[in-house]
Amino acid sequence: MTAQSPLVFNITRSTSLRPQAERDAILANPGFGKHFTDHMVSIDWTIEQGWYDAQVRPYGPLMLDPAASVLHYAQEIFEGLKAYRHADGSVWTFRPEANAARMQRSAHRLALPELPVDLFVESIKQLVSIDAAWVPSAPETSLYLRPFMIANESFLGVRSAQKAAYYVIASPAGAYFAKGVAPVSIWLSTDYARAAVGGTGAAKCGGNYAASLLPQQEAYENGCPQVLFLDPLEGKYLEELGGMNVFLVMKDGTVVTPELSGSILEGVTRASIIELARDRGHQVQERKITIDEWRDGVASGAVAEAFACGTAAVVTPIAALKGRDFIVGDESAPAGELTMSLRQELTDIQYGRLPDRHGWMTRLV
Ligand code: COI
């Protein structure tokens, strides 16, 4: 087999760049996932050719045949990572190789082609270089990057697609939750599971998020911005939130998080928090946690703090867990001390305010 030479990106600049005043207005109040930059990346794949035609091109609609398999069988995966502007104006991203590797694992589970790690990282660099003016600089803001892959073969037979495409789009981002980093209440879903054992729960695929939307809506109706799922077999053990991993901090400083059960997404933020907590000398346990342990632990004082984490919302303190007929914790409780200090340390590394002792940061611009 001959080694494939690296793909060269063909760059087509947009001829209708958003005016600076419009961009500045967006960057001053970006919200989350609402606005998109001027360009996008696309790379095509076929079973015969492998990856080809890498492009940076103007942001715009995709042309899809109505028979494209993604529209029928949801053969789709995605990633989420951020570009951060440092005080000197340079732009960096956090552990992109971890996202690239996870995308390969997701691709494997969804029978999609695996994008080489260096091509993933290069695609991010290409997009952020051309759209660097879209990386905001206000505190807690970033450029959220959304790589995704779809099967786009026009074929209704049920088998893995022989044609796919990878894209990256970018969206300036402020706080994920409306209230910023304030503590949130979360809703315990008892009627629905997020993912089955042996299913796609460990893959970052759109289908998992689709399955979370109805219970997520139930959460909103009960005043909670996120939903917590229990394990699909016994409905007893914590799994994860609709789009974030979950942690408890015990009174003795032990940090616990559900073990990777096969139906939990292996969050990059989750892994980083585990390392940062261990660096500080905390005992960190990845193990089964029952919902009763949380409930009883809050009542007895054994559970001191709870938080959720993910790329989009970073680390979010959990004030209370609500269900149909119970509430654990106090909805007006302040954020936990360790929660906020881990959040601070992580964001200090991401924004270049602390030395990158783990080698997590990659410079983009
Ligand atoms: C993330 O934190 O990146 C997520 O996966 C949440 C979401 C926006 C899908």
Side-chain angles (χ1 to χ4, degrees):
M1 208 168 92
T2 52
Q4 251 186 311
S5 51
L7 280 184
V8 174
F9 281 78
N10 182 35
I11 298 172
T12 311
R13 284 181 182 273
S14 168
T15 51
S16 53
L17 294 179
R18 233 74 55 79
Q20 190 180 337
E22 191 182 324
R23 192 178 64 227
D24 287 349
I26 292 170
L27 295 188
N29 187 16
F32 184 86
K34 295 195 288 199
H35 305 281
F36 301 92
T37 63
D38 292 311
H39 298 87
M40 61 195 265
V41 158
S42 65
I43 312 178
D44 289 323
W45 177 89
T46 64
I47 198 159
E48 297 86 18
Q49 272 181 273
W51 293 105
Y52 71 100
D53 196 14
Q55 291 195 45
V56 179
R57 61 190 227 208
Y59 183 92
L62 303 179
M63 278 273 280
L64 272 188
D65 190 289
S69 32
V70 63
L71 300 176
H72 302 272
Y73 308 127
Q75 206 184 350
E76 184 269 356
I77 56 175
F78 69 94
E79 272 302 323
L81 65 169
K82 285 174 169 174
Y84 308 89
R85 191 173 293 283
H86 288 188
D88 64 359
S90 59
V91 179
W92 299 70
T93 194
F94 182 73
R95 307 189 75 178
E97 303 83 8
N99 291 89
R102 186 172 65 187
M103 192 169 211
Q104 290 187 330
R105 295 195 294 277
S106 302
H108 178 72
R109 180 64 186 85
L110 272 285
L112 280 163
E114 291 179 29
L115 188 80
V117 170
D118 49 358
L119 190 51
F120 178 99
V121 176
E122 182 58 23
S123 71
I124 301 297
K125 280 192 181 150
Q126 290 280 340
L127 184 57
V128 175
S129 303
I130 199 165
D131 280 338
W134 284 93
V135 183
S137 52
E140 292 293 332
T141 63
S142 60
L143 184 65
Y144 185 78
L145 303 163
R146 172 53 62 87
F148 63 104
M149 195 190 297
I150 58 171
N152 60 3
E153 184 183 355
S154 309
F155 179 57
L156 295 184
V158 182
R159 61 147 167 73
S160 59
Q162 301 188 351
K163 204 169 161 253
Y166 164 82
Y167 301 94
V168 191
I169 56 175
S171 174
Y176 184 72
F177 293 116
K179 289 200 294 177
V181 290
V184 296
S185 296
I186 58 175
W187 177 252
L188 178 66
S189 176
T190 41
D191 296 339
Y192 305 101
R194 173 183 168 274
V197 174
T200 58
K204 202 161 176 73
C205 64
N208 293 339
Y209 293 79
S212 77
L213 297 180
L214 182 63
Q216 174 71 55
Q217 194 174 311
E218 196 177 273
Y220 285 136
E221 284 160 10
N222 287 280
C224 301
Q226 272 282 320
V227 56
L228 171 70
F229 292 103
L230 299 179
D231 74 279
L233 286 181
E234 298 179 71
K236 207 163 122 184
Y237 304 104
L238 310 189
E239 287 261 300
E240 65 174 270
L241 309 190
M244 304 173 81
N245 294 117
V246 64
F247 282 78
L248 300 180
V249 180
M250 313 308 272
K251 192 171 65 179
D252 68 359
T254 304
V255 174
V256 292
T257 192
E259 66 191 9
L260 299 171
S261 60
S263 51
I264 293 180
L265 189 80
E266 194 175 348
V268 177
T269 312
R270 173 188 182 279
S272 310
I273 289 290
I274 290 174
E275 277 201 56
L276 294 181
R278 284 196 175 129
D279 289 350
R280 292 173 180 212
H282 287 269
Q283 210 206 333
V284 181
Q285 299 171 347
E286 296 177 72
R287 61 166 170 84
K288 287 186 190 313
I289 307 166
T290 63
I291 192 69
D292 287 342
E293 180 178 354
W294 189 346
R295 195 197 301 237
D296 298 347
V298 168
S300 71
V303 172
E305 303 179 24
F307 64 87
C309 70
T311 298
V314 199
V315 171
T316 302
I318 297 174
L321 173 67
K322 287 164 78 177
R324 276 219 177 78
D325 52 6
F326 73 89
I327 176 158
V328 172
D330 169 1
E331 284 196 272
S332 56
E337 212 174 293
L338 184 65
T339 299
M340 292 314 278
S341 121
L342 286 170
R343 180 183 216 285
Q344 189 66 45
E345 185 176 1
L346 181 62
T347 53
D348 281 347
I349 294 170
Q350 291 170 331
Y351 287 93
R353 297 181 296 245
L354 268 184
D356 173 24
R357 67 179 187 278
H358 290 283
W360 282 340
M361 303 304 291
T362 294
R363 185 164 180 175
L364 298 173
V365 180

